[in-house]
Amino acid sequence: MLIVSAYQSGLVSAGGDDVVVTNDKLFGNIDTSFSVTGLTSGMYTYTMTDSAGNTWIDTVMIGAPDSFNISAVIVDASSSSATDGSIDLTVSGGTPGYTFSWSNGATTEDIDSLMSGYLLCNGNRLYRLQ
């Protein structure tokens, strides 16, 4: 979402496709804003014009989020009938607010009390406990 506000000054990146742009040079203390959604990374130019015909043109850069990374520490069950296995995920990059959907119904990042077998996370990462 691109948010342009004329009340404050500066440029604040909010990550991913979110940017907050502020500018007090044109409108003074009148808070004027609009938003644009669904933007991909890249340079964008915007134009603001007040009722007196004053125009402000500026460019903002929306950066891509860091690469998405996931790693797992797997503790195997102590026997074929034990339920003491676990999977501890570490997730970084991408856009935070991650969700998890395990094939056993769990929705947490880390899961425990697991038996030997296979588990699928978010439909595309398969983990094996022995």
Side-chain angles (χ1 to χ4, degrees), residues 39-60:
L39 300 176
T40 58
S41 60
M43 295 287 282
Y44 292 88
T45 300
Y46 65 92
T47 303
M48 295 188 299
T49 305
D50 67 11
S51 60
N54 299 309
T55 300
W56 178 263
I57 300 172
D58 203 355
T59 302
V60 295

Side-chain angles (χ1 to χ4, degrees), residues 38-109:
L39 300 176
T40 58
S41 60
M43 295 287 282
Y44 292 88
T45 300
Y46 65 92
T47 303
M48 295 188 299
T49 305
D50 67 11
S51 60
N54 299 309
T55 300
W56 178 263
I57 300 172
D58 203 355
T59 302
V60 295
M61 168 62 106
I62 298 177
D66 293 335
S67 297
F68 182 73
N69 297 300
I70 187 167
S71 63
V73 174
I74 298 173
V75 176
D76 292 325
S78 58
S79 71
S80 60
S81 61
T83 58
D84 57 356
S86 64
I87 301 175
D88 179 1
L89 298 181
T90 301
V91 182
S92 63
T95 303
Y98 313 117
T99 59
F100 302 89
S101 176
W102 292 91
S103 55
N104 69 351
T107 58
T108 57
E109 178 176 336

Side-chain angles (χ1 to χ4, degrees), residues 2 9-10 13 16 22 31-32 34 36 43 49 52-54 58 66 70 72 78 93 100 107-108 115 127-128:
L2 175 65
S9 63
S13 174
T22 60
D31 187 15
T32 303
F34 67 90
V36 180
M43 295 287 282
T49 305
N54 299 309
D58 203 355
D66 293 335
I70 187 167
S78 58
F100 302 89
T107 58
T108 57
M115 296 179 66
Y127 298 95
R128 178 180 181 207

Side-chain angles (χ1 to χ4, degrees), residues 4-23:
V4 178
S5 174
Y7 186 69
Q8 301 167 341
S9 63
L11 172 65
V12 178
S13 174
D17 61 355
D18 298 335
V19 163
V20 177
V21 177
T22 60
N23 176 351

